[in-house]
PDB file of all heavy atoms in Angstrom:
ATOM      1  N   GLY A 187      44.641 -33.827 178.121  1.00  0.00           N
ATOM      2  CA  GLY A 187      45.617 -33.234 179.018  1.00  0.00           C
ATOM      3  C   GLY A 187      46.955 -33.933 178.979  1.00  0.00           C
ATOM      4  O   GLY A 187      47.991 -33.318 178.736  1.00  0.00           O
ATOM      5  N   GLU A 208      45.488 -39.670 182.445  1.00  0.00           N
ATOM      6  CA  GLU A 208      45.266 -38.310 182.943  1.00  0.00           C
ATOM      7  C   GLU A 208      45.641 -38.190 184.427  1.00  0.00           C
ATOM      8  O   GLU A 208      45.913 -37.096 184.903  1.00  0.00           O
ATOM      9  CB  GLU A 208      43.812 -37.888 182.739  1.00  0.00           C
ATOM     10  CG  GLU A 208      43.382 -37.748 181.296  1.00  0.00           C
ATOM     11  CD  GLU A 208      44.056 -36.604 180.548  1.00  0.00           C
ATOM     12  OE1 GLU A 208      45.133 -36.135 180.974  1.00  0.00           O
ATOM     13  OE2 GLU A 208      43.497 -36.179 179.520  1.00  0.00           O
ATOM     14  N   PRO A 212      50.534 -35.059 189.157  1.00  0.00           N
ATOM     15  CA  PRO A 212      49.889 -33.751 189.258  1.00  0.00           C
ATOM     16  C   PRO A 212      50.201 -32.821 188.095  1.00  0.00           C
ATOM     17  O   PRO A 212      49.475 -31.851 187.873  1.00  0.00           O
ATOM     18  CB  PRO A 212      50.448 -33.188 190.568  1.00  0.00           C
ATOM     19  CG  PRO A 212      51.765 -33.876 190.743  1.00  0.00           C
ATOM     20  CD  PRO A 212      51.570 -35.249 190.189  1.00  0.00           C
ATOM     21  N   CYS A 213      51.288 -33.095 187.383  1.00  0.00           N
ATOM     22  CA  CYS A 213      51.677 -32.249 186.246  1.00  0.00           C
ATOM     23  C   CYS A 213      52.036 -33.150 185.070  1.00  0.00           C
ATOM     24  O   CYS A 213      52.615 -34.218 185.251  1.00  0.00           O
ATOM     25  CB  CYS A 213      52.874 -31.369 186.597  1.00  0.00           C
ATOM     26  SG  CYS A 213      52.610 -30.293 188.007  1.00  0.00           S
ATOM     27  N   GLY A 214      51.715 -32.707 183.881  1.00  0.00           N
ATOM     28  CA  GLY A 214      52.022 -33.487 182.693  1.00  0.00           C
ATOM     29  C   GLY A 214      53.489 -33.409 182.338  1.00  0.00           C
ATOM     30  O   GLY A 214      54.151 -32.385 182.541  1.00  0.00           O
ATOM     31  N   ASP A 220      48.871 -30.688 178.464  1.00  0.00           N
ATOM     32  CA  ASP A 220      48.187 -29.425 178.773  1.00  0.00           C
ATOM     33  C   ASP A 220      47.813 -29.474 180.251  1.00  0.00           C
ATOM     34  O   ASP A 220      46.916 -30.210 180.649  1.00  0.00           O
ATOM     35  CB  ASP A 220      46.941 -29.282 177.892  1.00  0.00           C
ATOM     36  CG  ASP A 220      46.266 -27.925 178.050  1.00  0.00           C
ATOM     37  OD1 ASP A 220      46.020 -27.515 179.210  1.00  0.00           O
ATOM     38  OD2 ASP A 220      45.947 -27.290 177.025  1.00  0.00           O
ATOM     39  N   GLN A 221      48.517 -28.670 181.068  1.00  0.00           N
ATOM     40  CA  GLN A 221      48.334 -28.733 182.518  1.00  0.00           C
ATOM     41  C   GLN A 221      46.904 -28.353 182.919  1.00  0.00           C
ATOM     42  O   GLN A 221      46.315 -28.977 183.812  1.00  0.00           O
ATOM     43  CB  GLN A 221      49.331 -27.808 183.224  1.00  0.00           C
ATOM     44  CG  GLN A 221      50.784 -27.961 182.782  1.00  0.00           C
ATOM     45  CD  GLN A 221      51.332 -29.366 182.959  1.00  0.00           C
ATOM     46  OE1 GLN A 221      50.876 -30.109 183.829  1.00  0.00           O
ATOM     47  NE2 GLN A 221      52.279 -29.756 182.133  1.00  0.00           N
ATOM     48  N   LEU A 222      46.350 -27.339 182.296  1.00  0.00           N
ATOM     49  CA  LEU A 222      44.993 -26.918 182.636  1.00  0.00           C
ATOM     50  C   LEU A 222      44.003 -28.045 182.387  1.00  0.00           C
ATOM     51  O   LEU A 222      43.127 -28.320 183.215  1.00  0.00           O
ATOM     52  CB  LEU A 222      44.599 -25.680 181.830  1.00  0.00           C
ATOM     53  CG  LEU A 222      43.125 -25.252 181.959  1.00  0.00           C
ATOM     54  CD1 LEU A 222      42.781 -24.912 183.401  1.00  0.00           C
ATOM     55  CD2 LEU A 222      42.821 -24.072 181.035  1.00  0.00           C
ATOM     56  N   LYS A 223      44.130 -28.733 181.257  1.00  0.00           N
ATOM     57  CA  LYS A 223      43.195 -29.805 180.937  1.00  0.00           C
ATOM     58  C   LYS A 223      43.354 -30.979 181.893  1.00  0.00           C
ATOM     59  O   LYS A 223      42.360 -31.607 182.286  1.00  0.00           O
ATOM     60  CB  LYS A 223      43.379 -30.239 179.478  1.00  0.00           C
ATOM     61  CG  LYS A 223      42.915 -29.188 178.482  1.00  0.00           C
ATOM     62  CD  LYS A 223      43.158 -29.638 177.052  1.00  0.00           C
ATOM     63  CE  LYS A 223      42.680 -28.579 176.061  1.00  0.00           C
ATOM     64  NZ  LYS A 223      42.979 -28.960 174.655  1.00  0.00           N
ATOM     65  N   ILE A 224      44.588 -31.299 182.281  1.00  0.00           N
ATOM     66  CA  ILE A 224      44.784 -32.362 183.268  1.00  0.00           C
ATOM     67  C   ILE A 224      44.042 -32.029 184.548  1.00  0.00           C
ATOM     68  O   ILE A 224      43.277 -32.837 185.091  1.00  0.00           O
ATOM     69  CB  ILE A 224      46.287 -32.564 183.563  1.00  0.00           C
ATOM     70  CG1 ILE A 224      47.001 -33.168 182.359  1.00  0.00           C
ATOM     71  CG2 ILE A 224      46.475 -33.462 184.798  1.00  0.00           C
ATOM     72  CD1 ILE A 224      48.512 -33.220 182.506  1.00  0.00           C
ATOM     73  N   GLN A 225      44.266 -30.827 185.047  1.00  0.00           N
ATOM     74  CA  GLN A 225      43.675 -30.445 186.331  1.00  0.00           C
ATOM     75  C   GLN A 225      42.157 -30.302 186.225  1.00  0.00           C
ATOM     76  O   GLN A 225      41.424 -30.637 187.162  1.00  0.00           O
ATOM     77  CB  GLN A 225      44.349 -29.173 186.829  1.00  0.00           C
ATOM     78  CG  GLN A 225      45.807 -29.427 187.200  1.00  0.00           C
ATOM     79  CD  GLN A 225      46.683 -28.201 187.169  1.00  0.00           C
ATOM     80  OE1 GLN A 225      46.204 -27.077 187.277  1.00  0.00           O
ATOM     81  NE2 GLN A 225      47.988 -28.407 187.028  1.00  0.00           N
ATOM     82  N   THR A 226      41.671 -29.858 185.081  1.00  0.00           N
ATOM     83  CA  THR A 226      40.227 -29.741 184.879  1.00  0.00           C
ATOM     84  C   THR A 226      39.556 -31.104 184.887  1.00  0.00           C
ATOM     85  O   THR A 226      38.514 -31.303 185.519  1.00  0.00           O
ATOM     86  CB  THR A 226      39.925 -29.008 183.563  1.00  0.00           C
ATOM     87  OG1 THR A 226      40.461 -27.683 183.633  1.00  0.00           O
ATOM     88  CG2 THR A 226      38.426 -28.929 183.318  1.00  0.00           C
ATOM     89  N   VAL A 227      40.150 -32.084 184.199  1.00  0.00           N
ATOM     90  CA  VAL A 227      39.521 -33.403 184.149  1.00  0.00           C
ATOM     91  C   VAL A 227      39.606 -34.089 185.508  1.00  0.00           C
ATOM     92  O   VAL A 227      38.677 -34.805 185.908  1.00  0.00           O
ATOM     93  CB  VAL A 227      40.128 -34.271 183.031  1.00  0.00           C
ATOM     94  CG1 VAL A 227      41.503 -34.801 183.377  1.00  0.00           C
ATOM     95  CG2 VAL A 227      39.196 -35.438 182.695  1.00  0.00           C
ATOM     96  N   LEU A 228      40.691 -33.884 186.260  1.00  0.00           N
ATOM     97  CA  LEU A 228      40.764 -34.473 187.595  1.00  0.00           C
ATOM     98  C   LEU A 228      39.643 -33.931 188.483  1.00  0.00           C
ATOM     99  O   LEU A 228      39.001 -34.686 189.225  1.00  0.00           O
ATOM    100  CB  LEU A 228      42.125 -34.191 188.231  1.00  0.00           C
ATOM    101  CG  LEU A 228      43.346 -34.846 187.568  1.00  0.00           C
ATOM    102  CD1 LEU A 228      44.627 -34.449 188.295  1.00  0.00           C
ATOM    103  CD2 LEU A 228      43.211 -36.360 187.513  1.00  0.00           C
ATOM    104  N   GLY A 229      39.397 -32.634 188.392  1.00  0.00           N
ATOM    105  CA  GLY A 229      38.315 -32.039 189.168  1.00  0.00           C
ATOM    106  C   GLY A 229      36.952 -32.531 188.732  1.00  0.00           C
ATOM    107  O   GLY A 229      36.075 -32.806 189.559  1.00  0.00           O
ATOM    108  N   ALA A 230      36.755 -32.667 187.417  1.00  0.00           N
ATOM    109  CA  ALA A 230      35.464 -33.131 186.900  1.00  0.00           C
ATOM    110  C   ALA A 230      35.198 -34.579 187.312  1.00  0.00           C
ATOM    111  O   ALA A 230      34.079 -34.936 187.710  1.00  0.00           O
ATOM    112  CB  ALA A 230      35.434 -32.998 185.379  1.00  0.00           C
ATOM    113  N   LEU A 264      46.143 -35.221 194.135  1.00  0.00           N
ATOM    114  CA  LEU A 264      46.869 -34.843 192.918  1.00  0.00           C
ATOM    115  C   LEU A 264      46.774 -33.336 192.667  1.00  0.00           C
ATOM    116  O   LEU A 264      47.768 -32.679 192.312  1.00  0.00           O
ATOM    117  CB  LEU A 264      46.316 -35.606 191.719  1.00  0.00           C
ATOM    118  CG  LEU A 264      46.617 -37.106 191.650  1.00  0.00           C
ATOM    119  CD1 LEU A 264      45.889 -37.731 190.457  1.00  0.00           C
ATOM    120  CD2 LEU A 264      48.111 -37.369 191.546  1.00  0.00           C
ATOM    121  N   LEU A 265      45.585 -32.785 192.853  1.00  0.00           N
ATOM    122  CA  LEU A 265      45.407 -31.349 192.637  1.00  0.00           C
ATOM    123  C   LEU A 265      46.176 -30.539 193.688  1.00  0.00           C
ATOM    124  O   LEU A 265      46.755 -29.493 193.369  1.00  0.00           O
ATOM    125  CB  LEU A 265      43.919 -30.998 192.658  1.00  0.00           C
ATOM    126  CG  LEU A 265      43.114 -31.546 191.474  1.00  0.00           C
ATOM    127  CD1 LEU A 265      41.620 -31.352 191.708  1.00  0.00           C
ATOM    128  CD2 LEU A 265      43.535 -30.875 190.177  1.00  0.00           C
ATOM    129  N   ALA A 268      49.687 -30.459 192.588  1.00  0.00           N
ATOM    130  CA  ALA A 268      49.874 -29.539 191.463  1.00  0.00           C
ATOM    131  C   ALA A 268      50.022 -28.108 191.953  1.00  0.00           C
ATOM    132  O   ALA A 268      50.888 -27.356 191.487  1.00  0.00           O
ATOM    133  CB  ALA A 268      48.699 -29.650 190.493  1.00  0.00           C
ATOM    134  N   VAL A 269      49.179 -27.711 192.902  1.00  0.00           N
ATOM    135  CA  VAL A 269      49.249 -26.355 193.451  1.00  0.00           C
ATOM    136  C   VAL A 269      50.559 -26.153 194.202  1.00  0.00           C
ATOM    137  O   VAL A 269      51.226 -25.122 194.067  1.00  0.00           O
ATOM    138  CB  VAL A 269      48.035 -26.105 194.373  1.00  0.00           C
ATOM    139  CG1 VAL A 269      48.191 -24.787 195.124  1.00  0.00           C
ATOM    140  CG2 VAL A 269      46.745 -26.091 193.553  1.00  0.00           C
ATOM    141  N   GLN A 272      53.540 -25.801 191.816  1.00  0.00           N
ATOM    142  CA  GLN A 272      53.598 -24.503 191.151  1.00  0.00           C
ATOM    143  C   GLN A 272      54.044 -23.412 192.126  1.00  0.00           C
ATOM    144  O   GLN A 272      54.818 -22.527 191.757  1.00  0.00           O
ATOM    145  CB  GLN A 272      52.251 -24.141 190.532  1.00  0.00           C
ATOM    146  CG  GLN A 272      52.296 -22.790 189.819  1.00  0.00           C
ATOM    147  CD  GLN A 272      51.307 -22.680 188.695  1.00  0.00           C
ATOM    148  OE1 GLN A 272      50.884 -23.671 188.120  1.00  0.00           O
ATOM    149  NE2 GLN A 272      50.920 -21.466 188.374  1.00  0.00           N
ATOM    150  N   GLU A 323      54.691 -23.202 181.948  1.00  0.00           N
ATOM    151  CA  GLU A 323      53.408 -22.899 182.576  1.00  0.00           C
ATOM    152  C   GLU A 323      53.470 -21.575 183.328  1.00  0.00           C
ATOM    153  O   GLU A 323      52.480 -20.841 183.415  1.00  0.00           O
ATOM    154  CB  GLU A 323      53.054 -24.044 183.546  1.00  0.00           C
ATOM    155  CG  GLU A 323      51.717 -23.903 184.230  1.00  0.00           C
ATOM    156  CD  GLU A 323      50.556 -24.314 183.351  1.00  0.00           C
ATOM    157  OE1 GLU A 323      50.778 -24.706 182.182  1.00  0.00           O
ATOM    158  OE2 GLU A 323      49.415 -24.253 183.825  1.00  0.00           O
TER     159      GLU A 323
END
Side-chain angles (χ1 to χ4, degrees):
E208 294 293 21
C213 302
D220 186 310
Q221 311 302 333
L222 172 61
K223 290 178 180 177
I224 291 172
Q225 292 157 23
T226 298
V227 75
L228 294 179
L264 289 175
L265 292 170
V269 171
Q272 181 152 335
E323 183 80 359

